[in-house]
Amino acid sequence: MPNQFCPSPRELDDLELLLNGGLAPLTTFDDATPVRLSLPAELAGADEFELVDPEGLPLARVTPDGLVGLTRPSYGPFRRLHLDPATVRSQYAGALTVPVAGALAEVDLAAITAARAGRTVVLLALVGTGTPQGLSPAGLVRASQAAAELLGDAHVVAVALASHGDAGTDHLLGQQVVANYTDGDVLAVVGGDDYPDEIGAVIDSDQPEHPGVVVFFSGLSGSGKSTLAQALLDLILEKGERTVTSLDGDVVRRNLSAGLTFSKEDRETNIRRIGWVAAEIARHRGIAICSPIAPFDETRKQVRAMVTAAGGEFVLVHVATPLEECERRDRKGLYAKARAGEIPEFTGISSPYEEPEDAAVRVDTTDRTIADALSDVLSVLPF
């Protein structure tokens, strides 16, 4: 089997446009451009490897001569609307093309109506990673479909134009991509605050009042993480206003991560698994409460990135109870075993705990009631 690599969401968007001609004249990833590929160390310098989608389906092969397409992407909502530029130019020749990155306001619809002069309208919904403004990618397509219904003789095409983190770069790439999708006139819209009811309804349903949240407790064994997490869980359940899931470190290890050891690599794998599940809960606007030790800064940052990419809010709580107090409590007898050499790589004894510098709050539970310590956590929560 050839070496395989699953690119990031942004890189998958770039790959789609490289293969369908949307980024022409670019035809492959190029480190001299913003359209580049960040490879893991094991693939750095490799002459040939496959790029796969999140389910492992090979999409393209990277060779010394460039990209070779293998399979059209099949994942993601509204896939049927992801037409290639040649198809769009052929089906909608002479149309007025309108790039759309946010919901179209009343003023935008009026401008399109004034400029179309009886022509068909193509709304290019720019749904790539980081590009939609104020809406999810699927929400942008739904809002554009609602606009198309209001305009009449208008069609929505989804274009995987991703943001590359620089406004100037994104503007130039956007012009390049839009030019590949049309041979006719292009109308830039300015946006506004007043929306037709049909579009406003899409905005309201796509962006509810409460986003998903991950509350991530990190600290030494015996610091009070699980106790605080359980108290927070109980409080949310008593209020009954939000769905909430607890991802306790020990519980996850017995179920999701059974078979992993306590080596540094396996502990990091366990935390990434917790992070992935938590991010999916946040994606669907729930609350996830996590309480692993999570001793390594890099892994905690990876979890934060997962949650942020899923549209959730990440709240890191450092339960900073000193080692001496944690060892005094030692309800499970783990510190005694670690001191006796029976547990290798035990955090705080034979393996380090990297204290967070990016925590939303630092809580020392020494000589404090649960309610008192929990009040510190509640003060930084967005719900």
Side-chain angles (χ1 to χ4, degrees):
M1 172 180 278
N3 289 323
Q4 293 185 328
F5 172 62
C6 180
S8 69
R10 179 193 61 75
E11 293 166 341
L12 286 171
D13 290 336
D14 287 345
L15 176 63
E16 179 175 336
L17 294 184
L18 287 170
L19 294 176
N20 74 10
L23 279 169
L26 283 177
T27 58
T28 190
F29 292 100
D30 185 347
D31 287 344
T33 75
V35 183
R36 57 178 68 100
L37 195 61
S38 297
L39 294 173
E42 59 268 23
L43 286 180
D47 289 333
E48 191 167 319
F49 53 90
E50 288 182 349
L51 301 177
V52 301
D53 73 7
E55 295 182 356
L57 178 69
L59 299 175
R61 181 177 295 113
V62 176
T63 75
D65 297 323
L67 278 176
V68 178
L70 300 175
T71 310
R72 290 176 61 88
S74 59
Y75 53 87
F78 297 110
R79 176 50 53 182
R80 63 190 179 278
L81 299 181
H82 285 247
L83 306 180
D84 61 78
T87 298
V88 175
R89 291 196 305 268
S90 173
Q91 288 187 2
Y92 305 117
L96 175 66
T97 299
V98 182
V100 180
L104 293 174
E106 294 276 13
V107 65
D108 298 324
L109 298 181
I112 294 170
T113 300
R116 69 186 303 178
R119 291 174 291 180
T120 295
V121 173
V122 173
L123 303 178
L124 290 184
L126 307 179
V127 297
T129 303
T131 296
Q133 300 171 6
L135 289 168
S136 67
L140 178 60
V141 174
R142 290 194 297 271
S144 299
Q145 289 176 322
E149 288 288 332
L150 293 170
L151 289 166
D153 190 21
H155 306 271
V156 178
V157 174
V159 179
L161 176 63
S163 170
H164 292 75
D166 178 82
T169 297
D170 290 343
H171 179 69
L172 291 175
L173 282 177
Q175 288 182 317
Q176 180 178 333
V177 169
V178 171
N180 285 322
Y181 272 85
T182 181
D183 293 322
D185 293 335
V186 176
L187 176 67
V189 292
V190 297
D193 297 324
D194 295 324
Y195 300 97
D197 291 343
E198 295 87 344
I199 296 176
V202 174
I203 296 172
D204 290 342
S205 64
D206 188 66
Q207 298 292 333
E209 182 180 356
H210 302 296
V213 180
V214 173
V215 185
F216 196 91
F217 292 88
S218 172
L220 296 172
S221 177
S223 62
K225 302 182 307 299
S226 296
T227 301
L228 287 176
Q230 184 63 52
L232 179 60
L233 176 70
D234 292 345
L235 182 62
I236 295 172
L237 289 173
E238 288 173 8
K239 289 185 176 180
E241 297 172 353
R242 302 288 299 272
T243 58
V244 59
T245 302
S246 173
L247 297 172
D248 178 78
D250 291 334
V251 175
V252 170
R253 180 171 280 278
R254 283 196 301 272
N255 293 278
L256 186 61
S257 296
L260 292 183
T261 69
F262 286 90
S263 69
K264 182 177 187 295
E265 181 181 7
D266 280 2
R267 281 184 287 167
E268 289 180 299
T269 297
N270 185 50
I271 300 307
R272 282 192 291 268
R273 289 179 180 178
I274 291 173
W276 186 87
V277 174
E280 289 303 301
I281 291 170
R283 187 188 306 279
H284 297 284
R285 305 184 181 106
I287 298 173
I289 301 174
C290 311
S291 50
I293 292 174
F296 304 115
D297 181 65
E298 177 60 28
T299 319
R300 294 191 298 260
K301 283 183 167 59
Q302 290 173 1
V303 174
R304 182 188 292 274
M306 291 181 202
V307 174
T308 301
E313 297 189 40
F314 183 82
V315 180
L316 176 59
V317 178
H318 178 202
V319 185
T321 307
L323 172 63
E324 295 75 18
E325 175 64 15
C326 297
E327 192 166 2
R328 185 192 65 78
R329 296 173 181 176
D330 202 15
R331 293 187 303 170
K332 301 176 184 178
L334 298 178
Y335 283 99
K337 292 180 179 179
R339 292 290 186 188
E342 298 175 23
I343 304 178
E345 297 193 73
F346 189 82
T347 301
I349 303 299
S350 51
S351 182
Y353 177 83
E354 299 172 0
E355 294 201 359
E357 296 181 357
D358 56 347
V361 66
R362 185 177 183 274
V363 183
D364 182 348
T365 63
T366 306
D367 296 328
R368 299 180 70 183
T369 65
I370 295 174
D372 182 42
L374 184 61
S375 66
D376 290 353
V377 179
L378 296 176
S379 70
V380 299
L381 295 183
F383 54 85

